[in-house]
Amino acid sequence: MPEQNKSTKNVYFFGAGSAEGKAEMKELLGGKGANLAEMTNLGIPVPPGFTLSTEVCAAFYENERNYPASLREEVAEHLQRLETMMGKKLGDAGDPLLVSVRSGAAQSMPGMMDTVLNLGLNDAAVEGLAEQSGNARFAKDAYRRFIQMYGDVVMGVEHEHFEHALEAAKKSKGVTEDTDLDADDLDGVIAAYKEIYASHTGSPFPQAPLDQLWGAIDAVFGSWNSTRAIRYRQIEGIKGLLGTAVNVQSMVFGNFGDDSGTGVCFTRDPSTGENTFYGEYLINAQGEDVVAGIRTPLPLSQLRDTAPEMMTQLEGVRERLEKHYRDMQDMEFTIQQGRLFLLQTRNGKRTGPAAVKLAIDMVNEGLISQQEAIGRVSADLLDQCLHPMIRAEARPKATLLATGLNASPGAATGQVVFTAEDAEAWVEQGKRVLLVRRETSPEDIGGMHAAQGILTATGGMTSHAAVVARGMGTPCVAGCKEVVISGAGASIDGFPVAEGQWLTIDGGTGEVFDGELPLITPKVTGDLATFLQWTDGIRDGASREGLEGFGIRTNADLPRDARVAREFGAEGIGLCRTEHMFFEEGKLEIFQEMIVAEDVDTRRAVLDRLLPLQREDFAGIFKAMDGFPVTVRLLDPPLHEFVPKTEADAEALAEASGVPLDRLKAKIESLHEMNPMLGHRGCRLGITYPEIYDMQVRAIMEAACAVAAGGAGVLPEIMIPLVGTLEELSRLRERAEKVAADVLASADAKVEYQIGTMIEIPRAAVTADRVAEAADFFSFGTNDLTQMMFGYSRDDAGVFLPEYVEQGILEEDPFQVLDREGVGTVVEMGVQRGRATKPDLKVGICGEHGGDPSSIEFCYQAGMNYVSCSPYRVPIARLAAAHAVLGISP
Amino acid sequence: MPEQNKSTKNVYFFGAGSAEGKAEMKELLGGKGANLAEMTNLGIPVPPGFTLSTEVCAAFYENERNYPASLREEVAEHLQRLETMMGKKLGDAGDPLLVSVRSGAAQSMPGMMDTVLNLGLNDAAVEGLAEQSGNARFAKDAYRRFIQMYGDVVMGVEHEHFEHALEAAKKSKGVTEDTDLDADDLDGVIAAYKEIYASHTGSPFPQAPLDQLWGAIDAVFGSWNSTRAIRYRQIEGIKGLLGTAVNVQSMVFGNFGDDSGTGVCFTRDPSTGENTFYGEYLINAQGEDVVAGIRTPLPLSQLRDTAPEMMTQLEGVRERLEKHYRDMQDMEFTIQQGRLFLLQTRNGKRTGPAAVKLAIDMVNEGLISQQEAIGRVSADLLDQCLHPMIRAEARPKATLLATGLNASPGAATGQVVFTAEDAEAWVEQGKRVLLVRRETSPEDIGGMHAAQGILTATGGMTSHAAVVARGMGTPCVAGCKEVVISGAGASIDGFPVAEGQWLTIDGGTGEVFDGELPLITPKVTGDLATFLQWTDGIRDGASREGLEGFGIRTNADLPRDARVAREFGAEGIGLCRTEHMFFEEGKLEIFQEMIVAEDVDTRRAVLDRLLPLQREDFAGIFKAMDGFPVTVRLLDPPLHEFVPKTEADAEALAEASGVPLDRLKAKIESLHEMNPMLGHRGCRLGITYPEIYDMQVRAIMEAACAVAAGGAGVLPEIMIPLVGTLEELSRLRERAEKVAADVLASADAKVEYQIGTMIEIPRAAVTADRVAEAADFFSFGTNDLTQMMFGYSRDDAGVFLPEYVEQGILEEDPFQVLDREGVGTVVEMGVQRGRATKPDLKVGICGEHGGDPSSIEFCYQAGMNYVSCSPYRVPIARLAAAHAVLGISP
């Protein structure tokens, strides 16, 4: 917080080609105020005025809604200067000055704070305005509008009261349009308005212009902490602002007649990024009319025909502003009696594809540098370029059935199936399907792969369906409570959904639509490919104390995923989970036999049958990554995840394994755990059943030898999960080295390989100096690390975590955005302590956070060598990593 | 590790009243060597000899079993000096010197390493010995023994081979005793032994005395790393030693005739601590004979009658050694032809009661200071003084049925019951019962309280039964696999056990005996009380950078426990778990109604009924603690722990609550969690259901006001559990403060209270600087902290944790002994960061570790203000805390 009256200057003037502020003073003057000052200094026509700074707002709230002592005097001085400049006086009965009073914070909060127009009118001034403008109706209408707006905004009188009075006036005259009321009619409306005002506020409508002005200033500053403004800032994550500024600006009128008008324009097309002047305008209207949508505005191109002179002026402004700001501008203008005024300019919002095109074009035009261009595209904007989207024109006509969680982005359309088996079967028949489940489980993996999209009734953003879908790049709407599945059918918010019916989901918004909507599927080619290559250049050039570059890897379990990730630019695999392989048909059954094996010899014999299957999987992945490093994590989940769930499956397993059913069931029962997350899994299995890891290491090294013998590059990195102590790692490492040496000797091959560990147990992070003794690399498993640092089970936290975020106890869901304060502290300890033991220790991240821009920035700053994320997040990660290198925070 | 040849001196001489070593050189010379040197210097008769240092042993292993270059020469020099002093030569055919070669490390490892006696005998020397001693049979027997011992110890010839040959000789002569063989017979045995030696080793028995000597030295150094020695050091936790020393000492013989003998004695009674000379001896015997138990030794008191001259000498030595060492000594002596020699002295092992008595007496005698006395009693010894024990004389006759885990110390005897209800019912009828269960659960709490002891079939050291039993001071044997419960009966390792049958358990050893064995129950009075008061003085005087004293509190949930703890010396309650109160009959039903309440108003109404019951509980505890601080933890466990488990209970609850059964069941179902440890519990419940904490805070403060109004002191500390973020704590604190203010205002009372938090979530520890902003105190909940730092569920880790400790992956079970390296790191961070924000922050521990001596030492060093442990551990904690203050490591 600033000290009170840190700056002794509270008010900043702008007008007549010169301003006390400038564009860089956004924090102090708000975006609107700073840009009005900047345009004034540029000589662009801006109605003069002055800005009360955001520091005034901060002081206001720090001092129980009292202003700095000098403020009234400063405002009086600036008002006088404005009156002098304009040759008019506020409230003057002859030629009154009218002003607008508008909010404007450093970040845009559209519609969240208050505005008062036409301020300065009173019973006397309205006559002066009528005379000066030669338009009594205009003057009366302005006065009427002012009373309504002031009553509503400043005094909290419900606007319906005023509207009823206006309706009554029209009714009594027998007309329907406001414009059908003439000046005399409006006198009646004004009288009625003043009565409404007095009866609701207990005092007459203020006639003293200074009272009006301070009322409006109070209202605007007060609106900074209105419930809706606070809520908006929470939702949008707007933090660290001092408050709003207040802009007091002389009024110009677009509703002065047919030589007047108002409009909004963009220096380029904000949808496509095309370099065309794009906008809309209305003749004889005020800005409010455009916003209210009462009249349909005309495309800007028509202005050239109807008012070529105006258009030429506007195009001049367009060129000057874009050159000056070096970015696409979103401008508001008003024409009063043929004279152009700019009321606002700001960098224009844009779609993802437009953002990329603008960035590329502006570099080519020499307007901005490549680095600036990269800074112009946010991860969210880039994300829009990477997923199938419902065609914009199809949306308005579509039937929205429900909205769930936007669990995995992209749109998908397909015929509904209710089981994973059906999904696979239907797809084999050439159909496109949408898998609808209460929730998914590891056995559904085949069907999830086959489906176009996934829709679940329960589960959160980190449920199985959500995590797996994001990993596969499959659109997913999760936790859609309106979905009720019963037997062979379902309903969505009461709408019946039968098997085979077409649905469309948008995983980026969580929407579920009836029917088959048309989609567009973008590709990483052209401008997008160029843009991403630029980001790679930034990453490659990164240099932190002895660390060169910053890599992007992917989490991929299958050769197909590995290939997709390569196409998206992945430079290796940061996490290949071997257990997903075991869920495949033909492997799961063997794996189950291994679990129930009653002695080590039997277990070894079963593992010998799994060996060639795992070897084949690894060979496929090594080939797909063609010389890039591949981190293979040895078996991690607890064994009970793999055992038969049904009586029939248990019987089949008893048959296949030769283990009597009762003993087999007892074995399955004995695997049950109270807290599986903290149970017998990861390297703990490797210690208890060393033959499992032996088989996996053998499969990895044999596959590596085979691929290397074929002439391809191979860089296997064997990763031991869930390590909490050096001893676990060093013992398993020793064993793995023996197996690897054996394989290499048998194959007479030389294949470089590394052995390292996940850092996902808090203890491993804080004792990383010890653990590093036996590790060639660390890969932070921030999913589990977050679970254990917070003591949150991802499976169970859905009951309170959303409420925690909602209430602001947590700023973000820590499973989506890495918690820097807590989890980040031990990650940094892990990196620093690990490198204290091994200065060249390779360090990366393979949790879900590896695809989140804020988390990527953290990883870069923490000194990691790379991040790893799901294949479909790789482009986002490339951009976010470049942003991190450039010091651009998400 | 020491650098090789750090000391250039490898061998240390002792003899004729002067030695190169001394008692303080234990690390270098081993305990035996250092004390032989010390006694020599004191002028006590010790057979001369020399010691090869432990550094030789270390160098031997560092250099692939090669000795330092100078060693042979040094040994030769010292041997020559010994020969000169003794006037005899090793291997001399006329008057041979004989030596023993014995191991001796800095810490005692009885029987783990090798010894060779009578070394120096060969075919020529045996004749010289026969001549010199005038006893051919003695000489031949010594030679025979030497060949056997050398063959066995140095060359690994199984001793059975020798024994068979001896048996054969006796058989052929038709006798049964060794002593019936005369010198000629022994010549035959010697010949047979040499043949056995040659055939098993491939070379003849070495005749050169130096070869014999080096063979023995090699064997003793080699035995340091024998499998059994390594295993012994693992089990006993012996670490950091360089190796063993080797003592080469001239032989004396207790088997030289009836004026010779050997014995072991203690300067005081090691069982009781009485100041009486205690020991045993044998006439005409070697030390080995005593150890082997072939002959029954005589009590030392008889020596006064049979050899008053000897006894007088021995008593002189007793007095000198005890005065010199200022501790009770355990001595070995040999009398050769009327001449006394001391072969060893060391501090004697003692029982717990003896340890306390010795400590007190020696202070009273002016022998040692109070501080030294405190250092003489270990926590384990003190523990023996605090629990009922099976009378020693009853043990040999008792029938041991099985051995389980020693889950809660003390012996207990009672009639078997199989349910908690029966336990309560039988006890009401005046019976003493032993509760036998597969495992216990929170509903069993009443029966567990009622029972004398608890025996469970499953569960580990930290199972429910074990934790609760330790908390109550009830003896418990847990995880006794031999216990099989079926229907109304049970069996233990096949032995049938019916309801009502008497069993006795020893929770300190894990033993389960048939029948009712007699017990002795110690009290904290007399010497024990005095001793503990001394420890309190040490604690009270402790001073660490601005921290005065070091407190001992207790974990107690009920007034009864609080009173017990006060009697044991607790200075407050560090953890009062409010949820245990809810498991009591009459409260559980109301609590369940609260859980299933369908709206906030209903929930509040039910809580209003709980309020007076909780208030009463708290008032009882406040009264019992009479002005000492009481930390009350608000509700912690997940709600599903409280819901009905059976259909009948569910129906009863539906009836009582008015919630329809199907909705009630759905509610219960919805509370199920995958990982309850990481689920919706602790302050997360407080955030979701603030009315629960409101009620508890109100109950605490109302009780405090009521007790204070009665004139007693009250110091309530409200503890909010499972905090992970400052925000959780600050919001709940604010709410609690409002409730407290409201209560105080209504009662018009002034009661000081504090609000603080458990630090048990890793994130809270690493962000303690933030959390401390809203905390008056921290209490480390190291049970959960250990679970989350390691990622071990206490409920599930039983599958791998014992193996981890067994294999040495973990040095200790981290739930028993605080893991300093990992968990300790974040505890230290928590203390330091917390105090960085609030220098006066009160910090304690309330996990199970609060009663473990090593963990208490850590807590002291980490700067905590107090530790808190179960009532029955309070005396142990008082001692361990005093040790920590004195810098005596457990």
Side-chain angles (χ1 to χ4, degrees), chain A residues 792-849:
Chain A
Y792 293 164
S793 157
R794 291 215 296 183
D795 295 310
D796 304 306
V799 182
F800 58 86
L801 208 46
E803 199 180 327
Y804 266 40
V805 176
E806 173 90 5
Q807 285 194 25
I809 294 173
L810 295 172
E811 289 182 4
E812 311 264 11
D813 179 342
F815 293 111
Q816 289 176 37
V817 180
L818 190 136
D819 160 54
R820 298 189 188 197
E821 185 174 81
V823 179
T825 297
V826 299
V827 169
E828 286 168 342
M829 281 174 78
V831 176
Q832 287 158 13
R833 294 184 173 195
R835 292 245 175 83
T837 298
K838 280 202 182 147
D840 291 335
L841 189 76
K842 185 162 53 182
V843 181
I845 183 177
C846 63
E848 289 260 309
H849 300 103

Side-chain angles (χ1 to χ4, degrees), chain B residues 433-636:
Chain B
V433 302
L434 204 74
L435 179 60
V436 180
R437 302 278 291 157
R438 225 179 89 77
E439 57 191 345
T440 61
S441 66
E443 299 106 89
D444 295 339
I445 204 92
M448 294 171 78
H449 253 298
Q452 297 290 314
I454 298 158
L455 169 62
T456 70
T458 62
M461 292 298 284
T462 52
S463 61
H464 179 265
V467 172
V468 173
R470 284 196 294 275
M472 301 191 303
T474 299
C476 174
V477 172
C480 183
K481 295 193 189 72
E482 289 79 5
V483 173
V484 177
I485 298 175
S486 53
S491 67
I492 301 181
D493 201 19
F495 180 89
V497 175
E499 192 184 61
Q501 193 165 329
W502 285 85
L503 287 184
T504 300
I505 60 171
D506 185 335
T509 61
E511 292 162 308
V512 182
F513 297 98
D514 183 30
E516 181 185 5
L517 301 185
L519 309 182
I520 31 170
T521 307
K523 298 230 173 262
V524 182
T525 53
D527 281 351
L528 185 52
T530 305
F531 179 77
L532 287 169
Q533 277 158 17
W534 290 355
T535 68
D536 295 344
I538 300 295
R539 281 195 296 115
D540 294 344
S543 180
R544 294 159 289 168
E545 299 164 29
L547 274 180
E548 299 305 316
F550 185 44
I552 306 292
R553 296 198 191 181
T554 191
N555 301 349
D557 308 338
L558 299 168
R560 179 185 47 194
D561 296 343
R563 280 188 293 270
V564 169
R566 282 285 300 125
E567 282 161 22
F568 280 130
E571 302 154 338
I573 289 182
L575 176 62
C576 170
R577 284 161 291 215
T578 52
E579 57 269 17
H580 285 188
M581 300 172 180
F582 295 131
F583 282 115
E584 288 177 5
E585 204 170 314
K587 292 179 192 162
L588 181 58
E589 293 72 11
I590 306 178
F591 198 77
Q592 289 175 338
E593 277 190 58
M594 191 282 297
I595 292 173
V596 299
E598 296 193 305
D599 55 66
V600 176
D601 288 339
T602 312
R603 195 176 307 120
R604 284 220 183 91
V606 180
L607 286 166
D608 284 346
R609 287 159 53 204
L610 274 174
L611 175 66
L613 304 174
Q614 281 247 297
R615 190 171 52 213
E616 205 178 313
D617 288 327
F618 293 136
I621 286 172
F622 290 147
K623 276 181 212 150
M625 293 316 286
D626 191 22
F628 280 113
V630 176
T631 307
V632 182
R633 182 176 72 182
L634 303 186
L635 185 70
D636 184 55

Side-chain angles (χ1 to χ4, degrees), chain B residues 726-801:
Chain B
L726 166 63
E727 277 299 318
E728 290 169 317
L729 182 59
S730 58
R731 285 169 196 229
L732 292 170
R733 181 191 180 98
E734 201 176 316
R735 222 175 146 111
E737 280 174 338
K738 273 189 197 140
V739 173
D742 187 38
V743 172
L744 293 175
S746 298
D748 193 19
K750 271 203 172 177
V751 173
E752 292 297 318
Y753 70 97
Q754 295 193 331
I755 299 178
T757 182
M758 297 265 285
I759 301 287
E760 52 191 330
I761 296 284
R763 192 184 187 282
V766 303
T767 63
D769 46 342
R770 303 293 321 283
V771 176
E773 290 172 27
D776 300 323
F777 62 86
F778 281 176
S779 177
F780 281 89
T782 47
N783 294 355
D784 276 11
L785 193 59
T786 299
Q787 293 199 88
M788 292 178 209
M789 283 299 295
F790 274 93
Y792 294 164
S793 158
R794 290 215 296 182
D795 296 310
D796 304 307
V799 182
F800 58 88
L801 208 47

Side-chain angles (χ1 to χ4, degrees), chain B residues 150-459:
Chain B
Y150 193 92
D152 175 10
V153 166
V154 180
M155 303 305 289
V157 182
E158 297 279 344
H159 56 91
E160 285 91 3
H161 300 302
F162 297 111
E163 278 150 20
H164 290 161
L166 189 64
E167 285 307 308
K170 287 191 278 185
K171 207 172 177 181
S172 94
K173 199 181 179 186
V175 300
T176 55
E177 298 297 317
D178 293 5
T179 45
D180 294 332
L181 297 176
D182 62 21
D184 290 343
D185 300 331
L186 289 170
D187 275 337
V189 174
I190 289 166
Y193 273 20
K194 289 205 283 193
E195 221 162 90
I196 291 167
Y197 182 97
S199 73
H200 281 89
T201 66
S203 42
F205 182 75
Q207 292 293 320
L210 273 179
D211 289 352
Q212 295 174 357
L213 181 61
W214 282 104
I217 292 172
D218 285 353
V220 174
F221 280 135
S223 68
W224 172 252
N225 272 354
S226 69
T227 309
R228 64 176 184 174
I230 290 172
R231 188 89 193 90
Y232 181 87
R233 291 196 293 274
Q234 274 177 356
I235 291 171
E236 297 291 315
I238 298 175
K239 283 170 216 155
L241 300 189
L242 290 173
T244 184
V246 174
N247 298 291
V248 179
Q249 189 177 19
S250 49
M251 290 286 299
V252 286
F253 296 95
N255 55 345
F256 226 101
D258 285 344
D259 58 350
S260 300
T262 187
V264 172
C265 54
F266 294 84
T267 56
R268 306 198 186 194
D269 187 329
S271 300
T272 64
E274 299 285 327
N275 192 355
T276 55
F277 200 15
Y278 178 95
E280 301 175 325
Y281 73 102
L282 272 175
I283 291 298
N284 195 14
Q286 278 200 312
E288 273 56 42
D289 301 330
V290 181
V291 174
I294 300 168
R295 289 164 54 191
T296 305
L298 306 169
L300 196 60
S301 52
Q302 291 189 19
L303 189 61
R304 189 183 309 278
D305 305 327
T306 54
E309 161 75 5
M310 275 302 103
M311 189 63 179
T312 306
Q313 274 190 56
L314 201 55
E315 283 185 325
V317 169
R318 171 200 177 197
E319 203 183 316
R320 289 182 63 194
L321 285 181
E322 208 185 70
K323 280 243 168 76
H324 182 71
Y325 283 102
R326 302 158 66 247
D327 200 354
M328 185 262 278
Q329 294 297 297
D330 165 1
M331 313 177 299
E332 288 176 22
F333 65 92
T334 285
I335 302 165
Q336 181 176 332
Q337 295 165 299
R339 211 174 142 202
L340 176 70
F341 294 95
L342 268 287
L343 297 182
Q344 168 138 323
T345 191
R346 58 185 169 190
N347 294 337
K349 286 205 195 311
R350 60 208 71 182
T351 65
V356 172
K357 179 160 176 51
L358 284 168
I360 297 268
D361 285 355
M362 287 186 181
V363 170
N364 292 338
E365 294 162 20
L367 211 54
I368 57 175
S369 68
Q370 276 194 13
Q371 294 199 0
E372 283 175 296
I374 289 167
R376 294 280 170 84
V377 182
S378 70
D380 284 346
L381 287 173
L382 180 62
D383 199 31
Q384 290 179 15
C385 305
L386 298 168
H387 299 284
M389 290 185 288
I390 296 171
R391 284 192 180 277
E393 59 273 24
R395 273 191 175 266
K397 291 163 271 170
T399 308
L400 179 68
L401 300 177
T403 302
L405 299 173
N406 53 340
S408 177
T413 185
Q415 289 178 275
V416 167
V417 292
F418 296 112
T419 70
E421 292 77 43
D422 287 346
E424 293 190 83
W426 287 41
V427 168
E428 268 175 38
Q429 293 162 31
K431 292 176 179 165
R432 285 186 298 148
V433 302
L434 204 74
L435 179 60
V436 180
R437 302 278 291 157
R438 225 179 89 77
E439 57 191 345
T440 61
S441 66
E443 299 106 89
D444 295 339
I445 204 92
M448 294 171 78
H449 253 298
Q452 297 290 314
I454 298 158
L455 169 62
T456 70
T458 62

Side-chain angles (χ1 to χ4, degrees), chain A residues 66-122:
Chain A
N66 290 310
Y67 294 113
S70 63
L71 188 68
R72 276 182 192 266
E73 201 178 321
E74 281 187 74
V75 167
E77 280 167 19
H78 282 81
L79 179 61
Q80 200 180 357
R81 186 170 165 192
L82 181 61
E83 288 174 333
T84 306
M85 184 174 283
M86 302 301 289
K88 300 171 188 234
K89 283 183 81 70
L90 207 62
D92 189 65
D95 186 4
L97 172 66
L98 302 193
V99 297
S100 62
V101 179
R102 293 181 210 251
S103 64
Q107 287 183 51
S108 173
M109 296 169 57
M112 284 304 120
M113 288 182 296
D114 290 338
T115 294
V116 179
L117 302 180
N118 301 333
L119 188 140
L121 283 175
N122 56 22

Side-chain angles (χ1 to χ4, degrees), chain A residues 673-678 684 728 731 761-763 770 788-793 796 804 807 819 821, chain B residues 673-678 684 728 731 761-763 770 788-791 793 796 804 807 819 821:
Chain A
E673 293 184 311
M674 291 285 288
N675 296 287
M677 177 52 51
L678 307 176
R684 300 165 197 173
E728 290 169 317
R731 285 169 197 227
I761 296 285
R763 192 184 186 282
R770 303 293 321 283
M788 293 178 209
M789 282 300 294
F790 274 93
Y792 293 164
S793 157
D796 304 306
Y804 266 40
Q807 285 194 25
D819 160 54
E821 185 174 81
Chain B
E673 293 185 308
M674 292 284 287
N675 296 287
M677 179 49 52
L678 307 176
R684 298 163 198 172
E728 290 169 317
R731 285 169 196 229
I761 296 284
R763 192 184 187 282
R770 303 293 321 283
M788 292 178 209
M789 283 299 295
F790 274 93
S793 158
D796 304 307
Y804 266 40
Q807 286 193 25
D819 159 55
E821 185 174 80

